[in-house]
Amino acid sequence: MNNTCWAANDKTQHLTKTFRVNYTPTMKAFMFLILVYYAIEFLRCGLFVLFVLLRWDFCHQIYTFTAFNEILVLLLTVGVPVVRFTYPGQLCSGDHPIFSFDANQKEYGYWLKLYLMESSKPEYYEKPLSQMSDDEKNLYYVRLMEQVRETQRKAKETMEKNAIAKVGIEGALKASREVEERYEKFKSDFGVAINKLAVSLKDTVTSQNVEYTHKPVEVTAIKAAEYLKNCKNIMILTGAGLSAASGIPTFRGSNGFWTKSYEGIEDPTEILTLKCFDQNPSIAWQWHYDFIDLMKTCKPNNGHQAIYELQKFSKNYPKKLNTLLVTQNIDNFHTVTIQNNNQAKKIDKTEGTSNFAFTEDVLEVHGNVLYMRCYKNCCNDFYLSPEPPIDPEERRSHVPLCQKCESVMKPHCMFFDESYTEELYRSKTVSEYLNDRLDGLIVIGTALQTSLANQIVQKTLAKLEVPVVEINPEPCVKNGFGVIVKESSLTSLPTIVKQLISLKSKQK
């Protein structure tokens, strides 16, 4: 056996490259006894694994594979005996925790070490650096540099893998954004289609699915109150016709507010959509600036005051009457009327809170032009809309931004391709009252061209014996228990309310 382990001419080579092993008859006999012993163990355990590792370089290459380590630990854990032939102090014996006999004998099983060459033990590994000879230091530094290079190699591999992973993540995020954009476009287009379908089918659904027991009748305002005297839960539904007497044009018709053009677009169902807002939010804001300016030149009328008086009566005599005011108008006139009469409940109206845009006694199912919110929904807070810019150029380009995320702010007004929600438009509250409590309905100045308003009227008519009092010079109720007052709400509504309060006051 060659015992010269560290030759002078091999200083620059890896220290383990010089090992040479020649088996003597005694060694072979001893190894044969070991194999016989483990043959017996194989018969007892059903499994026998033998690793004979005689060179450190081979040992080092094998032990650096993670899969090999996992298999070896598994074998030792389940009690499979493993024998390793090695030299005393051979470097691979300390390369992995499982190769330490003293520290891991109980945890992983056991190793049987067979020392073949006592004279080949590299004793300098147990010496402090100060006690090493120059040759030993050179060999020590060679191994140290190999470890550094191996660490650098692994770090480089990790960085390359991270770079590949980063590219994959960026691609996934881009694909996710594209899917989200396509979904938003689909939702927008689908919302428009559904709203148009709901309006176009309203007469068909009514005539085909309901057998009415009444026909619409035209009456005076005083007579209309007679139909409501026995109703205890009355919903009041108002539309643009109520505010027409205040000077705000109706949204539809030859003189309607919808006839204006913005950036060459005249169709309001195109201007006030999420799709248009995504492409150019300044168009929608121009429309709202003009509406706010118009609203400031007007004020609530006698019709708004009459509704307030009916609500006030119901609060004072809740056993006789309960009312729910639902408006499609975005002009804030109902709230102004309540505030002018100093009857508004003290609620938190702090700007930058989730209930800042709402008044308890008014359900504004299409929102309110005076408020705005973050279009990206970074929060549920509402803020006052900005004052309309005076300069024409600034008005065409000024779009307010969210204070928290700096995205575009959206006016708190329902667009044509939006859906009703409880959070923004109180639709659930309206539906619950309609289905569970309503026994009388007053409809004022609406063409029933929006899905919720049409649904309220049609569901009420489907109750057969619930009167629907419509105040409208151009009535929309064509079937069922309709009580039609073809007069202006400015004069007829105060008359109806006054007469109804008189009738209700006489009841016990």
Side-chain angles (χ1 to χ4, degrees):
M1 181 178 297
N2 186 358
N3 293 333
T4 304
C5 294
W6 319 116
N9 61 351
D10 290 333
K11 290 180 180 180
T12 59
Q13 299 180 10
H14 195 285
L15 61 93
T16 60
K17 297 298 184 180
T18 60
F19 281 126
R20 299 292 185 273
V21 178
N22 296 316
Y23 293 100
T24 64
T26 302
M27 292 171 56
K28 293 180 179 179
F30 187 76
M31 292 174 61
F32 176 78
L33 292 175
I34 293 297
L35 293 176
V36 171
Y37 170 77
Y38 277 102
I40 296 173
E41 287 292 319
F42 174 75
L43 295 176
R44 184 176 67 84
C45 301
L47 183 62
F48 169 63
V49 178
L50 174 63
F51 288 100
V52 182
L53 305 175
L54 299 179
R55 294 183 53 163
W56 179 86
D57 55 342
F58 177 72
C59 167
H60 175 73
Q61 293 171 11
I62 291 297
Y63 293 167
T64 55
F65 289 109
T66 302
F68 176 85
N69 290 333
E70 293 177 353
I71 294 173
L72 204 55
V73 170
L74 177 62
L75 293 173
L76 292 171
T77 303
V78 299
V80 176
V82 178
V83 61
R84 179 169 70 101
F85 297 95
T86 182
Y87 300 108
Q90 191 171 336
L91 296 181
C92 60
S93 63
D95 282 351
H96 193 281
I98 66 172
F99 302 142
S100 176
F101 177 79
D102 295 332
N104 297 281
Q105 180 179 5
K106 294 181 180 179
E107 181 176 358
Y108 292 112
Y110 60 91
W111 290 82
L112 179 60
K113 295 184 178 180
L114 177 61
Y115 295 107
L116 301 180
M117 294 176 55
E118 194 65 32
S119 61
S120 65
K121 179 179 179 180
E123 297 179 353
Y124 71 87
Y125 272 102
E126 300 177 359
K127 297 179 182 180
L129 191 63
S130 60
Q131 298 179 8
M132 291 185 184
S133 65
D134 290 342
D135 290 344
E136 290 172 344
K137 288 180 179 179
N138 288 338
L139 292 172
Y140 175 79
Y141 289 136
V142 167
R143 173 165 169 76
L144 186 62
M145 289 305 298
E146 285 187 354
Q147 292 176 344
V148 170
R149 285 192 293 269
E150 180 65 15
T151 301
Q152 291 175 338
R153 183 186 65 80
K154 291 182 178 179
K156 182 179 179 181
E157 290 179 355
T158 301
M159 293 177 65
E160 290 175 351
K161 291 180 180 178
N162 289 342
I164 295 173
K166 180 182 178 182
V167 172
I169 292 173
E170 291 176 348
L173 290 175
K174 181 179 179 181
S176 176
R177 287 192 294 269
E178 291 176 352
V179 170
E180 183 178 356
E181 291 173 358
R182 288 197 296 270
Y183 172 71
E184 290 298 329
K185 183 179 184 302
F186 164 77
K187 188 169 65 172
S188 173
D189 296 341
F190 185 74
V192 172
I194 288 297
N195 284 336
K196 290 182 178 179
L197 181 62
V199 173
S200 65
L201 292 180
K202 65 179 187 296
D203 293 331
T204 304
V205 172
T206 299
S207 61
Q208 290 183 355
N209 297 289
V210 179
E211 295 183 2
Y212 296 110
T213 56
H214 296 269
K215 292 183 178 181
V217 293
E218 184 178 342
V219 300
T220 63
I222 293 179
K223 184 64 176 178
E226 295 284 343
Y227 286 90
L228 297 170
K229 66 179 180 180
N230 294 323
C231 300
K232 292 186 176 181
N233 297 285
I234 298 177
M235 179 184 291
I236 306 165
L237 174 63
T238 67
L242 176 64
S243 295
S246 295
I248 297 182
T250 57
F251 283 0
R252 293 173 176 84
S254 58
N255 296 321
F257 191 70
W258 292 120
T259 58
K260 290 191 175 183
S261 174
Y262 295 88
E263 303 295 333
I265 304 175
E266 296 183 357
D267 185 359
T269 61
E270 182 180 350
I271 295 173
L272 299 180
T273 62
L274 296 175
K275 181 179 180 181
C276 181
F277 194 79
D278 283 331
Q279 296 173 351
N280 190 353
S282 64
I283 295 178
W285 273 107
Q286 287 180 59
W287 187 96
H288 284 85
Y289 291 146
D290 286 350
F291 191 89
I292 292 173
D293 281 343
L294 174 64
M295 189 180 68
K296 288 181 178 180
T297 64
C298 306
K299 62 181 181 180
N301 58 55
N302 291 340
H304 295 95
Q305 182 64 30
I307 293 173
Y308 165 75
E309 295 295 341
L310 188 60
Q311 286 184 291
K312 179 182 177 181
F313 178 83
S314 69
K315 288 181 179 293
N316 293 335
Y317 301 97
K319 293 184 178 180
K320 294 184 178 182
L321 181 64
N322 174 271
T323 58
L324 181 70
L325 174 57
V326 179
T327 182
Q328 302 171 83
N329 298 336
I330 60 174
D331 52 29
N332 198 52
F333 281 176
H334 287 296
T335 300
V336 171
T337 302
I338 294 173
Q339 291 172 343
N340 289 343
N341 286 274
N342 299 315
Q343 296 296 320
K345 286 187 176 181
K346 298 297 181 181
I347 60 176
D348 183 11
K349 293 287 287 186
T350 304
E351 186 173 11
T353 58
S354 59
N355 62 350
F356 180 59
F358 304 101
T359 302
E360 183 177 358
D361 296 325
V362 184
L363 299 184
E364 295 170 313
V365 294
H366 289 168
N368 188 315
V369 74
L370 294 183
Y371 303 98
M372 63 180 182
R373 59 184 175 85
C374 177
Y375 184 47
K376 296 300 183 181
N377 295 317
C378 74
C379 62
N380 296 322
D381 301 336
F382 290 88
Y383 298 86
L384 283 174
S385 296
E387 287 291 322
I390 298 176
D391 181 70
E393 289 298 326
E394 184 180 359
R395 180 178 289 237
R396 280 195 293 269
S397 61
H398 180 62
V399 176
L401 302 179
C402 178
Q403 299 177 9
K404 296 183 178 180
C405 70
E406 296 186 353
S407 64
V408 173
M409 296 293 280
K410 176 187 178 297
H412 178 48
C413 298
M414 186 175 180
F415 286 171
F416 281 96
D417 53 352
E418 272 191 276
S419 299
Y420 290 100
T421 65
E422 174 66 17
E423 180 183 11
L424 298 177
Y425 307 115
R426 301 300 189 252
S427 57
K428 182 179 178 182
T429 301
V430 173
S431 295
E432 289 177 349
Y433 192 93
L434 173 64
N435 295 328
D436 302 333
R437 301 185 62 179
L438 180 146
D439 61 3
L441 176 63
I442 301 175
V443 182
I444 308 157
T446 175
L448 302 182
Q449 291 298 304
T450 60
S451 58
L452 183 59
N454 183 65
Q455 182 185 56
I456 291 172
V457 172
Q458 298 306 326
K459 281 193 173 183
T460 303
L461 292 171
K463 292 186 177 185
L464 302 182
E465 299 303 319
V466 176
V468 176
V469 176
E470 181 182 13
I471 304 172
N472 196 339
E474 300 177 0
C476 298
V477 176
K478 306 297 183 182
N479 300 289
F481 198 175
V483 180
I484 310 302
V485 180
K486 284 188 177 182
E487 300 176 24
S488 169
S489 60
L490 189 63
T491 55
S492 62
L493 189 54
T495 301
I496 292 175
V497 169
K498 182 179 180 179
Q499 180 66 11
L500 180 58
I501 290 177
S502 175
L503 294 172
K504 284 288 184 181
S505 299
K506 297 176 183 179
Q507 296 175 349
K508 294 183 179 180

